[in-house]
């Protein structure tokens, strides 16, 4: 997944679950279920990102671009492997953990299939970054072991700088491209936020984590602030691309 202009978190020292390690925090069954859900959603997201980048490489206008996307796809698959292995390590079946999220993620990708190379770049930069921001917000409330893994697999694979460079060059060459891509990015924003909200709403353990049960510090007002931070980060990314939010 890609990321840039990450949303700000409070700098307070961790408390509650966030101050515990996995061995301590996982004693709570509902928390363990929430982590399995989270890692399952992330794992399928990384697997889907690998498949999508491999497909996008076919649209690349140059061999250098094709090779760059292939390298990013490889990084995404490595992230998937780390998540899969962690699920196995904590006694969960990776396939079963991913299954509940297949329909929602596949639906998102079907609704936002790019029509050309530039739309594919914007989708990877904007769409994946929104998802990464969402998972980072959740990670702030996770036990230290799970948080470290989640943040590691959300590291930018290099797509951010690559996308910004290529999209800005395309707009400079033909300013009309900017209007089309701005509309596309706004659509991606709406679809990505809706998909994130659906994923949480459909999984009781995850929704409880966000609104304050097994994880400390979240309430409904905080969830609203969380999505506001994600929206602000999106606006910054649009500016980096040279597009209006």
């Amino acid at each position: 997944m890609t990321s840039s202009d990450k949303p700000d978190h409070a700098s307070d020292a961790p408390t509650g679950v966030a101050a515990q390690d996995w061995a301590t925090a996982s004693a709570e069954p509902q928390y363990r279920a929430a982590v399995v859900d989270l890692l399952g959603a992330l794992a399928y997201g990384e697997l889907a990102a690998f498949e999508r980048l491999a497909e996008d490489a076919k649209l690349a206008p140059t061999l250098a671009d094709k090779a760059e996307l292939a390298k990013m796809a490889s990084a995404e698959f490595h992230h998937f492997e780390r998540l899969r292995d962690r699920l196995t390590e904590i006694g969960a079946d990776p396939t079963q953990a991913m299954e509940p999220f297949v329909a929602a993620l596949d639906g998102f990708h079907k609704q936002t299939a790019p029509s050309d190379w530039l739309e594919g770049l914007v989708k990877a930069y904007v769409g994946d970054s929104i998802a990464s921001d969402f998972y980072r917000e959740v990670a702030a409330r996770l036990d230290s072991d799970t948080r470290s893994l989640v943040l590691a697999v959300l590291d930018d694979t290099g797509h951010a700088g690559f996308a910004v460079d290529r999209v800005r060059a395309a707009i400079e060459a033909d300013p009309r491209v900017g209007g089309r891509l701005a509309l596309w990015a706004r659509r991606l924003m709406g679809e990505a936020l809706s998909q994130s909200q659906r994923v949480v709403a459909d999984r009781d353990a995850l929704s409880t984590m966000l609104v304050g049960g097994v994880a400390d510090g979240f309430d409904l007002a905080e969830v609203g602030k969380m999505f506001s931070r994600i929206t602000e980060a999106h606006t910054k990314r649009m500016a980096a691309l040279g597009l209006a939010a």
Side-chain angles (χ1 to χ4, degrees):
M1 292 185 178
T2 59
S3 175
S4 177
D5 299 316
K6 302 166 189 174
D8 296 328
H9 296 296
S11 58
D12 297 337
T15 59
V17 171
Q20 300 174 5
D21 60 11
W22 169 252
T24 303
S26 61
E28 167 57 55
Q30 192 172 33
Y31 177 76
R32 183 186 182 283
V35 169
V36 170
D37 273 351
L38 179 66
L39 297 184
L42 271 170
Y44 189 68
E46 296 290 352
L47 186 58
F50 159 73
E51 293 177 321
R52 193 181 69 251
L53 285 170
E55 283 295 312
D56 287 351
K58 297 177 182 178
L59 300 173
T62 69
L63 282 176
D65 290 338
K66 189 184 294 287
E68 190 67 23
L69 284 189
K71 182 176 72 173
M72 293 173 193
S74 176
E76 299 288 12
F77 192 76
H78 178 60
H79 289 168
F80 160 74
E81 290 180 313
R82 291 189 63 181
L83 291 159
R84 178 200 62 195
D85 293 347
R86 178 57 176 168
L87 282 163
T88 300
E89 184 181 333
I90 65 175
D93 180 274
T95 301
Q96 291 180 4
M98 290 188 289
E99 190 62 42
F101 307 100
V102 171
L105 288 168
D106 284 357
F108 169 73
H109 290 304
K110 184 177 180 181
Q111 291 291 327
T112 58
S115 62
D116 60 20
W117 160 251
L118 290 174
E119 286 190 1
L121 287 180
V122 171
K123 178 179 176 179
Y125 178 58
V126 173
D128 287 358
S129 294
I130 293 168
S132 292
D133 286 346
F134 171 74
Y135 288 123
R136 277 193 181 83
E137 293 279 356
V138 177
R141 308 303 195 237
L142 296 172
D143 67 273
S144 58
D145 298 316
T146 305
R147 182 168 63 250
S148 294
L149 172 62
V150 169
L151 294 178
V153 300
L154 293 177
D155 274 350
D156 181 18
T157 59
H159 213 132
F162 180 77
V164 169
D165 178 67
R166 297 302 191 272
V167 171
R168 291 187 74 96
I171 294 172
E172 184 176 343
D174 182 1
R176 294 173 299 177
V177 170
R180 174 172 68 86
L181 293 180
L183 287 173
W184 172 243
R186 283 195 285 273
R187 179 183 168 194
L188 289 170
M189 176 66 175
E191 292 285 352
L193 285 180
S194 294
Q195 186 252 337
S196 296
Q197 291 165 338
R198 282 196 300 271
V199 166
V200 173
D202 289 345
R203 306 299 294 175
D204 289 343
L206 272 182
S207 60
T208 300
M209 175 183 286
L210 279 176
V211 299
V214 296
D216 305 284
F218 262 107
D219 56 25
L220 289 173
E222 181 59 28
V223 172
K225 293 177 184 177
M226 175 185 76
F227 282 108
S228 292
R229 288 192 293 270
I230 292 172
T231 301
E232 290 169 7
H234 168 73
T235 300
K236 292 179 182 178
R237 287 192 189 94
M238 291 288 282
L241 286 172
L243 301 175

